[in-house]
Amino acid sequence: LLWGGGWSLFCQEAGIESGRIAEAAAKLDARKRLVPLRRSFGLPVGVSRVVDLPRNPTDREWEQLISEFRTTFAAHGRSATVGGFREWSNGNLHISVEPTENGQQLRLTTFKEDAVALNLLGVVLSVMAVLTSAAVIASGKPEKALAVLGMFGGMALAAFGANVIRLPRWARERERQMESISERALKLLSSQP
């Protein structure tokens, strides 16, 4: 009923210009900017989000946001304020309110460092599988090369496989958490202090 001509009629009856609704929706969409995922071997290892804020949070509002961060990520974390820059962090998870040319922005970033290390381990084990197998073949025992290749190759596949299984789920969960925090911050800061 509200789509097409019905939407315009609704706006007219409510005394709202339909162009203003579209403009407000565009502003809301522009506030949230997804930052490309950091990847390692095609798998997500870093998630980020940047959100333009309507204003700078007061000290009380910043404390409320920190409480939200702690609840969402089940982590105490550490907070710091330097000039106009405020940050809360827990390990590789960093959330900050930063001044920009046009106001303030909320930046959320996280990085799964152990996933990169596991991918690196997979590469090292793959190289070891090939080199060790070649050395065994060169020593005149080609029948043992398959066992060596299988052993190191299996460990390499296990390292990569663990990341293939866990990283997409981890990235989706972090994106959901960041979206929730972004919405909470926008709601909190949309009202006047």
Side-chain angles (χ1 to χ4, degrees):
L1 175 66
L2 293 179
W3 302 110
W7 179 250
S8 295
L9 181 61
F10 173 79
C11 289
Q12 286 176 348
E13 288 181 6
I16 302 170
E17 295 177 36
S18 59
R20 301 223 353 123
I21 299 290
E23 182 182 312
K27 282 183 182 177
L28 282 175
D29 286 341
R31 282 185 174 177
K32 299 178 185 178
R33 296 187 307 274
L34 287 177
V35 179
L37 289 173
R38 279 179 74 178
R39 296 186 177 275
S40 173
F41 291 91
L43 298 169
V45 294
V47 179
S48 298
R49 180 176 293 259
V50 177
V51 180
D52 290 329
L53 297 174
R55 62 180 174 78
N56 196 16
T58 63
D59 290 343
R60 173 96 172 124
E61 290 166 334
W62 176 240
E63 291 165 359
Q64 288 175 297
L65 288 172
I66 289 174
S67 177
E68 187 77 22
F69 306 155
R70 289 176 174 166
T71 301
T72 300
F73 296 106
H76 182 71
R78 293 181 177 193
S79 63
T81 301
V82 179
F85 183 86
R86 296 177 179 192
E87 181 180 46
W88 177 86
S89 62
N90 186 61
N92 289 325
L93 173 64
H94 297 270
I95 303 174
S96 58
V97 173
E98 310 165 342
T100 66
E101 192 174 298
N102 300 320
Q104 300 289 317
Q105 70 182 13
L106 178 69
R107 180 183 304 273
L108 304 101
T109 61
T110 188
F111 179 64
K112 192 101 169 112
E113 194 172 345
D114 66 331
V116 174
L118 201 54
N119 280 343
L120 182 60
L121 177 64
V123 168
V124 169
L125 289 169
S126 297
V127 169
M128 285 179 63
V130 171
L131 293 177
T132 308
S133 296
V136 169
I137 290 171
S139 71
K141 299 179 185 177
E143 67 280 354
K144 293 191 178 190
L146 190 56
V148 170
L149 185 63
M151 181 178 73
F152 285 113
M155 289 189 288
L157 284 175
F160 286 124
N163 275 346
V164 166
I165 291 168
R166 70 190 183 120
L167 289 178
R169 183 175 58 236
W170 169 84
R172 282 191 304 274
E173 176 67 9
R174 286 295 182 258
E175 286 173 342
R176 185 194 62 74
Q177 291 168 325
M178 289 179 178
E179 177 67 21
S180 172
I181 287 172
S182 299
E183 288 173 1
R184 173 77 173 115
L186 286 172
K187 182 178 178 182
L188 181 66
L189 301 176
S190 290
S191 60
Q192 292 299 320

